[in-house]
């Protein structure tokens, strides 16, 4: 009996070591992938308003870099008030109808700078279909939107120039 108990203990120990190694490997893979991207990674636990933010997320938005707990509700206070209904509708659409969660919002960082963020996420539901959490990423698209605005201004300037040249051509033709 003692030998059988010892053999079972050895098997359990080996299983626990394999599980621990797999968990460590998974954590390393996540850390490597998260550090390779310029995006911030987040996770929101619906029931207790728990909110995880990766170091890059905290850096992007000016949050403290320590492990100070963050809140989903705090995040909402920093969104441009005009964009709050759009975010709420996107969350509701994702959790109720499975629509993609992909929104663009204007956000006031903790450095008191306005930035534009693209926020994407994927929800998880319990066995009863109740939402339990959502995880995703944020991308700072401020520079991209500014470049688009500048390009649009240039296109408008060219269009105005073309119109003026066409009018001059008509005058010259006359």
């Amino acid at each position: 009996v003692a030998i059988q108990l010892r053999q079972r203990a050895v098997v359990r120990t080996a299983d626990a070591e394999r599980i621990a190694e797999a968990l460590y490997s998974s954590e390393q893979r996540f850390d490597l992938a998260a550090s390779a991207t310029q995006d911030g990674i987040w996770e929101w636990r619906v029931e207790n308003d728990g909110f995880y933010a990766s170091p890059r997320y905290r850096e992007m938005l000016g949050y403290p870099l320590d492990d100070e707990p963050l809140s989903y509700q705090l995040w909402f206070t920093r969104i441009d008030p005009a964009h709050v209904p759009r975010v709420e509708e996107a969350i509701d659409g994702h959790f109720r109808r499975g629509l993609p969660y992909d929104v663009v919002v204007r956000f006031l960082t903790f450095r008191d700078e306005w930035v534009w963020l693209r926020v994407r996420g994927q929800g998880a539901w319990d066995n009863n279909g109740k939402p339990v959490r959502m995880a995703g990423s944020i991308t700072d698209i401020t520079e991209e939107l500014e470049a688009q605005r500048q390009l649009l201004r240039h296109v408008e300037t060219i269009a105005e120039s073309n119109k003026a040249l066409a009018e001059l051509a008509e005058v010259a033709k006359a």
Side-chain angles (χ1 to χ4, degrees):
V1 172
I3 292 173
Q4 287 177 342
L5 290 175
R6 177 147 169 52
Q7 288 173 339
R8 286 186 194 149
V10 167
V11 169
R12 286 187 187 136
T13 300
D15 287 346
E17 287 174 356
R18 274 195 305 278
I19 292 168
E21 179 60 34
L23 178 60
Y24 177 76
S25 179
S26 177
E27 288 174 349
Q28 292 295 316
R29 194 170 27 257
F30 171 79
D31 289 344
L32 186 61
S35 67
T37 181
Q38 291 301 307
D39 292 350
I41 307 296
W42 56 270
E43 179 191 33
W44 166 45
R45 299 250 176 203
V46 176
E47 285 295 314
N48 62 3
D49 193 32
F51 196 85
Y52 164 79
S54 70
R56 176 69 181 134
Y57 179 104
R58 289 172 179 268
E59 176 188 327
M60 288 171 67
L61 302 184
Y63 284 101
L65 293 178
D66 58 16
D67 286 333
E68 179 180 320
L70 300 178
S71 161
Y72 166 80
Q73 295 304 323
L74 174 62
W75 186 80
F76 257 92
T77 67
R78 308 299 288 190
I79 296 174
D80 182 331
H83 297 178
V84 170
R86 179 184 335 156
V87 174
E88 290 173 336
E89 184 179 301
I91 291 169
D92 185 61
H94 182 70
F95 280 143
R96 290 183 190 266
R97 297 185 304 282
L99 299 175
Y101 181 71
D102 188 346
V103 293
V104 172
V105 297
R106 190 166 169 244
F107 188 88
L108 182 61
T109 70
F110 285 85
R111 292 181 298 276
D112 289 325
E113 301 167 339
W114 285 102
V115 296
W116 287 92
L117 301 174
R118 182 173 185 192
V119 186
R120 291 174 274 197
Q122 177 59 51
W125 294 260
D126 66 14
N127 292 336
N128 298 321
K130 181 179 176 186
V132 292
R133 69 186 203 182
M134 184 186 284
S137 64
I138 60 167
T139 305
D140 185 339
I141 60 169
T142 306
E143 289 180 9
E144 179 183 328
L145 290 179
E146 182 56 32
Q148 288 175 358
R149 279 190 212 101
Q150 287 179 8
L151 181 60
L152 184 58
R153 281 194 296 268
H154 289 308
V155 168
E156 289 170 350
T157 300
I158 291 169
E160 290 171 10
S161 296
N162 286 344
K163 183 179 177 185
L165 287 172
E167 289 171 1
L168 286 173
E170 287 297 318
V171 169
K173 192 178 187 181

